[in-house]
Amino acid sequence: MAYAAEKMRRSLRPSLIPPWPVPFDAAAELDWGRPEYARRLLREHLDQSHDGASRRRSVIAGQVRRLRRLVPPAPARILDAGCGPGLYAVPLATLGHDVTAVDVSAPALRHARGLARATPMLGRTRFVRGDLRDVPLPDGGFDAALLVYFVLEAFSRTEQPKVLARIAASLAPKGVLIVEMRLRPDQPPGRIDWWDVVPESLLSERRHLLLGDAVYDQRRHTYVLREVAVLDDGSVSVRQTSGWLCPFASIPRLFARAGLADVTMFDGWSTEPAHGLSDSILVVARRRQR
């Protein structure tokens, strides 16, 4: 199977790539846990010049202060679902919480463990590699759970309620779930494309031609960012990331399907109520009583 995939990669030509990407296409979708991509993604997570993978430390510090008011008082048992390099998990542990952090990326988790070892903390951290669709989660094991930086939209429309339901089931009675969601990407509906010659990218650490396009389908509420690397040996790599952006009016129903109630929506990380024109929202919900 690996040989066949490599042969297909080397035989691919840009002219054979579909002009419009298909959302959540398994053949092209980025595998966040694949070692070479995960290693390059970690570099972007830690880059303090942009907020494109993880936010800068100053931004995260403000968001942790907001989370401190939303989660139960320490010591609370917190699940950080899609934790990346631990940039939220470790600060929460310093406040006295016991944090279980889950991610598919081995390099990101190695960084998170090193960060935890180097940071004095009142609570504890535990890092687990796994996919939120099937990683074992203890029933009622957490007082709060986090899905920050648009992790939920990386799952398809049919997968999102299932992922939410799995996390909801891991909450104790009245446990709180905090989810950050986008209502739209930072582009108008339609397609935007570009190209550049770059020394490296997520697709390769060698100099190459990078072709990119981003398609926002407002009717289907999908967004796909696709990149194509053309190397000097003629090989071509294609990877994309897809998102399903739940419409504002449908969010309470999405959370209700997952067994969550008392849904409150804030305008971004502020304390103001969310509305249909919000760029992003912070959803706070609680596990429904049995």
Side-chain angles (χ1 to χ4, degrees):
M1 182 67 71
Y3 172 78
E6 177 66 14
K7 183 177 179 181
M8 181 178 68
R9 182 184 73 85
R10 289 192 171 274
S11 64
L12 184 62
R13 292 291 179 267
S15 60
L16 300 178
I17 298 170
W20 290 77
V22 178
F24 301 100
D25 179 4
E29 203 70 18
L30 176 64
D31 180 354
W32 298 89
R34 187 169 168 176
E36 63 269 32
Y37 297 143
R39 184 178 66 252
R40 296 168 195 156
L41 277 167
L42 176 60
R43 180 182 61 210
E44 298 304 318
H45 278 298
L46 302 178
D47 190 334
Q48 293 298 292
S49 68
H50 64 79
D51 295 323
S54 289
R55 273 85 178 224
R56 285 164 284 193
R57 294 186 185 94
S58 58
V59 176
I60 291 173
Q63 293 173 345
V64 170
R65 289 193 293 271
R66 177 79 170 108
L67 291 173
R68 188 176 186 177
R69 295 191 291 270
L70 294 172
V71 302
R77 301 163 299 167
I78 297 178
L79 170 66
D80 185 356
C83 67
L87 303 181
Y88 293 85
V90 173
L92 288 169
T94 66
L95 298 174
H97 298 292
D98 292 335
V99 184
T100 297
V102 177
D103 203 274
V104 296
S105 169
L109 292 174
R110 280 196 298 271
H111 178 88
R113 292 187 183 100
L115 183 63
R117 286 193 296 268
T119 306
M121 56 183 66
L122 299 174
R124 296 176 296 176
T125 54
R126 174 174 174 259
F127 296 99
V128 178
R129 187 180 182 192
D131 189 310
L132 295 178
R133 290 169 291 194
D134 54 24
V135 65
L137 297 174
D139 184 43
F142 301 106
D143 303 304
L146 313 176
L147 274 168
V148 299
Y149 208 178
F150 318 127
V151 169
L152 185 62
E153 75 179 46
F155 299 99
S156 68
R157 180 177 183 176
T158 57
E159 289 176 324
Q160 286 191 20
K162 297 174 185 177
V163 170
L164 284 175
R166 296 191 80 247
I167 295 174
S170 76
L171 292 172
K174 295 187 178 181
V176 61
L177 173 61
I178 301 164
V179 183
E180 185 181 14
M181 304 174 69
R182 288 192 298 180
L183 296 183
R184 65 190 64 82
D186 188 20
Q187 75 170 67
R191 175 182 173 180
I192 297 174
D193 53 35
W194 64 92
W195 69 272
D196 198 1
V197 176
V198 297
E200 61 182 3
S201 75
L202 188 61
L203 297 179
S204 176
E205 294 177 339
R206 295 162 48 194
R207 181 178 173 86
H208 58 275
L209 172 65
L210 186 65
L211 311 172
D213 60 358
V215 177
Y216 173 34
D217 187 331
Q218 189 174 30
R219 185 172 65 87
R220 293 184 171 88
H221 309 289
T222 57
Y223 173 70
V224 185
L225 173 63
R226 180 173 62 176
E227 292 185 323
V228 179
V230 184
L231 279 69
D232 55 9
D233 63 0
S235 62
V236 178
S237 294
V238 181
R239 287 294 176 268
Q240 66 180 41
T241 55
S242 304
W244 183 71
L245 310 173
C246 185
F248 179 74
S250 300
I251 290 173
R253 185 165 63 252
L254 172 65
F255 280 70
R257 288 177 59 193
L260 294 153
D262 301 329
V263 177
T264 304
M265 298 186 289
F266 297 97
D267 184 12
W269 286 81
S270 76
T271 58
E272 299 298 319
H275 48 79
L277 296 179
S278 298
D279 291 325
S280 67
I281 63 174
L282 202 65
V283 182
V284 180
R286 296 191 180 276
R287 181 174 181 176
R288 186 182 298 138
Q289 295 294 300
R290 293 188 178 94

